[in-house]
Amino acid sequence: AATEPVSGRGAATEFTIEVPDYAAGRLVVSPLMVLSGEEVLAAPGSGDPYAALTAGAERLVPRPGNVLAAVDTLRLMALIHNASLASDTRRAALRATFTVLRDGKVVAKGKEQTFDTVGAAATVGPISLSAFPPGRYTARLEVADDVAKAVVVRESPFEVTK
């Protein structure tokens, strides 16, 4: 529930959330986040109300409704947890690949990323949308855990407007 401070009016909503079971030992991949271009972070201690929306030195700028204009840039991100470790090296063997599809056809594909840690942040971008015709697209991330022989796919729709 939330209350708007000026009018005093309130609102409540109810929805289901998925909480991953980290103790199960399976590969966990967050929902695929559609973000806009890079944004400069405020200086530490500046009272920035969005300080929690950062990963490292980058601000995460979500796009309401995943709608972007052709002049925007696209960034995609997902967090990966619980990768299995090889018994001999005690290292993980993760591969992550991003693709952008339109009408089921690949229109952009990122370079495969590899990680040898149990957790990682797979990211791609910024991608200029100037060459993308207006329309609906699907961002897809495929994460493969080569030690566990597991694959997880996450998708998120987005739209490019004029």
Side-chain angles (χ1 to χ4, degrees):
T3 304
E4 198 277 319
V6 175
S7 69
R9 293 180 138 184
T13 187
E14 184 178 308
F15 56 92
T16 303
I17 61 170
E18 179 183 332
V19 179
D21 182 0
Y22 293 105
R26 289 187 299 269
L27 183 64
V28 175
V29 180
S30 74
L32 184 56
M33 295 176 269
V34 176
L35 308 167
S36 64
E38 296 180 35
E39 187 173 310
V40 177
L41 295 179
S46 66
D48 181 0
Y50 299 105
L53 297 173
T54 61
E58 294 184 57
R59 180 185 307 277
L60 306 178
V61 184
R63 297 305 300 223
N66 290 351
V67 177
L68 298 106
V71 297
D72 290 332
T73 58
L74 170 68
R75 294 174 56 225
L76 302 169
M77 178 180 185
L79 302 177
I80 305 166
H81 304 279
N82 274 7
S84 294
L85 297 177
S87 58
D88 58 341
T89 64
R90 304 302 301 156
R91 305 298 296 169
L94 290 171
R95 294 179 291 115
T97 305
F98 288 94
T99 53
V100 175
L101 301 102
R102 183 168 190 197
D103 298 325
K105 296 182 176 108
V106 174
V107 296
K109 184 173 183 177
K111 180 180 168 189
E112 182 178 85
Q113 300 173 35
T114 58
F115 306 97
D116 63 359
T117 55
V118 295
T123 63
V124 68
I127 301 165
S128 172
L129 295 174
S130 61
F132 284 56
R136 296 185 184 276
Y137 294 83
T138 300
R140 176 181 290 161
L141 169 64
E142 182 175 306
V143 178
D145 182 335
D146 292 336
V147 174
K149 307 290 189 243
V151 176
V152 175
V153 176
R154 293 287 184 255
E155 292 185 341
S156 184
F158 70 96
E159 183 176 352
V160 176
T161 61
K162 290 183 182 184

